[in-house]
Amino acid sequence: MKKPVLIISYYWPPAGGPGVQRWLKFAKYLPQIGYDVTVVVPENPDYPVLDESLLEEIPENINLIKVKIKEPSRMAGKLSLKRTKNLQRGILNKKASFIERAMVWLRGNFFIPDARIGWKHHVLKAVEPFLSEHRECTVITTGPPHSVHLIGRELKTLLPSIKWLADFRDPWTTIGYHKDLKLGKRAQKRHVDLEQEVLGAADLLIVTSPFTGKEFKLKTATPLQLITNGYDMKPNTRTRQPEGKFTLAHIGTLLSDRNPLLLWETLQELCRDSEDFTAHFQLQLAGNVSDEILESINNFQLEKYVDHKGYVSHDSSIELMFQAQALLLIEIDSEETKAIIPGKIFEYFASRRPIVAIGPRGADIELLLTDTHSGEYFNYQQKAALKKHINYLYDLYKTGRNYSNSNDLIERYHRSHLTQILAKTIEFVWE
């Protein structure tokens, strides 16, 4: 008899971006190892980005419960669609208008913990038939949005016989953008209280980074399991360097706060110092990029080297990774971002192209790069070392020796392997 698992996730195809990939892939592999999977998703969500190609990846052997949701973003979008979509994507304009500032304040102080809080009551009602039939099942909630965890907390209260696992793809109260939400004291306290309730009530916590695991261990005695994100694509088998220009590619969203002035200045100097470099160099951006980032690139006189593709499908993003000479990974230089492991890093691994990462000292992504021998990591005080390394990659490129990384150390991050860890975690809570 298959073991029932109920997964509650706001992000689901056709949502684009990395947030949808994690539980879409777990839902793919869990049935293969003896689980009966049911996934609760919104019926009519207002996702900031869409990737219709992901609809084809929904497994046929799972059950879907689609639950209607009222999205405040739809109403806000009537005032300004572009501003609303940018806010949903996390792109906060530092030169924000009054309307933008008001929207951020309302989001932070009236929708706690987030704007999807109204979905909770609809989900609780929708899963009643399932839980009446499966009174001893595993319930998994995944956030952000962290309001989804409040559904799990309520279900655990109503039906103590279930086992509830709360999956944190990102931290809650320590995530970097919290300070940008203009939270009042009451809202700040409410976030802290809700986080503590969830951490204490869950049967087990799942985190995606060691740093978040250390944070939560200081806040609760609830058992905790690290399960990183991963990749599900066929790793790149092209061992020779790609043809074309010396392309440094950033795949994914680039927020205003993630503006790597250090990188732009370094590239400007490389272009100024060598006509040969400028003849071959290309900066490729694939994904949503804030206006401030583009303005900075222009200020450093790099605009003529930019290939800005905008948002691309998941399949297209993989091919761009394969074709790049090196892949850029940028994180904000702050204490809060040390715990952030962007989901794309694992597909970067599978692309086997050299990674050039920039972030704060002591970040978890530095350990991953070191363990997999997939690239080099630089903090924001290492401009000279960054410039030297990009020059090194360019020299390899010029001599046709910018080969792919062919080691097998990345296999531990394949989604099927990670699902085995998840299955053992589920077994643990039932022991």
Side-chain angles (χ1 to χ4, degrees):
M1 181 178 179
K2 289 194 172 184
K3 294 162 275 192
V5 174
L6 181 71
I7 300 166
I8 305 174
S9 177
Y10 173 77
Y11 289 105
W12 192 254
V20 67
Q21 295 283 336
R22 182 172 174 82
W23 287 96
L24 176 62
K25 299 305 181 180
F26 281 141
K28 170 184 176 180
Y29 287 107
L30 279 172
Q32 298 178 16
I33 53 176
Y35 288 88
D36 183 16
V37 175
T38 299
V39 186
V40 180
V41 300
E43 182 178 354
N44 56 328
D46 185 29
Y47 293 132
V49 292
L50 299 175
D51 186 346
E52 302 285 347
S53 68
L54 293 179
L55 290 168
E56 300 175 5
E57 298 189 27
I58 298 176
E60 296 181 355
N61 56 348
I62 66 170
N63 307 303
L64 280 179
I65 300 176
K66 295 187 176 183
V67 183
K68 287 186 177 181
I69 183 172
K70 291 183 179 180
E71 296 270 36
S73 56
R74 284 199 178 92
M75 183 177 297
K78 294 179 181 179
L79 297 174
S80 173
L81 182 60
K82 180 180 179 180
R83 290 189 183 108
T84 301
K85 290 300 179 186
N86 282 343
L87 287 172
Q88 286 178 284
R89 294 169 184 148
I91 300 175
L92 302 175
N93 187 356
K94 291 188 176 181
K95 300 176 183 177
S97 67
F98 172 78
I99 292 178
E100 287 175 305
R101 294 196 302 272
M103 289 168 61
V104 170
W105 186 87
L106 286 170
R107 152 68 178 90
N109 291 276
F110 279 84
F111 296 95
I112 301 174
D114 51 67
R116 278 87 191 201
I117 183 62
W119 194 44
K120 182 179 81 168
H121 301 292
H122 300 287
V123 173
L124 291 173
K125 184 175 182 180
V127 299
E128 283 179 1
F130 176 90
L131 292 175
S132 65
E133 183 179 352
H134 305 94
R135 300 187 66 81
E136 293 187 352
C137 70
T138 303
V139 174
I140 301 174
T141 56
T142 179
H146 294 309
S147 58
V148 175
H149 293 314
L150 302 187
I151 300 171
R153 183 196 62 176
E154 189 81 9
L155 291 176
K156 183 67 179 179
T157 301
L158 295 171
L159 193 61
S161 58
I162 67 170
K163 296 295 184 182
W164 169 37
L165 282 63
D167 173 64
F168 286 84
R169 302 191 314 277
D170 286 323
W172 187 334
T173 56
T174 59
I175 198 165
Y177 62 72
H178 248 238
K179 62 180 178 293
D180 297 319
L181 293 177
K182 312 300 180 186
L183 301 177
K185 290 184 179 180
R186 172 188 164 276
Q188 289 177 342
K189 185 177 185 305
R190 185 64 177 148
H191 273 286
V192 171
D193 291 345
L194 288 174
E195 178 190 53
Q196 197 59 49
E197 289 176 17
V198 167
L199 296 183
D203 291 290
L204 185 137
L205 306 173
I206 302 175
V207 295
T208 58
S209 77
F211 203 90
T212 302
K214 293 175 184 176
E215 175 195 338
F216 284 176
K217 283 181 179 178
L218 296 175
K219 293 180 176 180
T220 181
T222 302
L224 185 145
Q225 176 65 53
L226 170 67
I227 306 178
T228 67
N229 285 307
Y231 69 91
D232 194 44
M233 62 198 238
K234 183 180 179 182
N236 188 5
T237 57
R238 308 170 198 172
T239 56
R240 306 290 295 184
Q241 78 174 33
E243 296 180 357
K245 291 191 172 186
F246 180 66
T247 301
L248 302 182
H250 182 276
I251 313 297
T253 300
L254 259 182
L255 308 179
S256 296
D257 284 346
R258 197 179 294 158
N259 191 358
L261 300 179
L262 167 79
L263 175 62
W264 309 145
E265 184 178 358
T266 299
L267 294 174
Q268 181 189 46
E269 291 180 5
L270 288 167
C271 291
R272 185 187 60 208
D273 296 346
S274 170
E275 291 184 3
D276 187 62
F277 185 88
T278 60
H280 297 94
F281 170 59
Q282 177 176 252
L283 175 63
Q284 190 173 77
L285 306 174
N288 296 306
V289 180
S290 75
D291 292 340
E292 184 178 349
I293 298 280
L294 297 174
E295 183 180 338
S296 290
I297 289 172
N298 292 343
N299 290 340
F300 283 94
Q301 301 174 321
L302 297 171
E303 66 273 11
K304 58 187 170 184
Y305 308 108
V306 174
D307 175 23
H308 184 199
K309 296 190 172 297
Y311 185 82
V312 299
S313 71
H314 183 247
D315 289 343
S316 297
S317 72
I318 298 301
E319 186 58 31
L320 291 175
M321 293 179 197
F322 285 9
Q323 292 296 330
Q325 293 297 328
L327 298 167
L328 298 171
L329 188 69
I330 313 296
E331 196 44 81
I332 302 168
D333 187 21
S334 72
E335 186 72 21
E336 293 90 346
T337 59
K338 290 182 179 181
I340 302 299
I341 300 178
K344 68 181 171 221
I345 193 174
F346 302 101
E347 293 184 337
Y348 273 18
F349 290 165
S351 77
R352 299 191 186 279
R353 304 304 302 143
I355 299 171
V356 179
I358 303 172
R361 294 177 185 269
D364 284 340
I365 53 177
E366 182 175 6
L367 298 175
L368 286 174
L369 287 171
T370 301
D371 288 346
T372 58
H373 306 298
S374 296
E376 296 294 326
Y377 185 87
F378 304 90
N379 64 53
Y380 281 81
Q381 288 72 49
Q382 293 181 295
K383 177 185 167 185
L386 174 64
K387 184 177 180 179
K388 181 179 179 180
H389 182 66
I390 294 177
N391 250 330
Y392 167 73
L393 292 175
Y394 180 65
D395 288 341
L396 291 179
Y397 161 80
K398 287 289 289 181
T399 56
R401 296 181 295 117
N402 190 22
Y403 301 142
S404 294
N405 172 15
S406 59
N407 71 61
D408 296 326
L409 298 173
I410 65 170
E411 291 180 357
R412 72 190 82 167
Y413 299 112
H414 193 279
R415 299 283 188 182
S416 60
H417 176 73
L418 296 169
T419 305
Q420 294 287 345
I421 298 175
L422 175 61
K424 291 179 181 178
T425 303
I426 294 173
E427 292 172 7
F428 169 79
V429 297
W430 285 102
E431 290 178 353

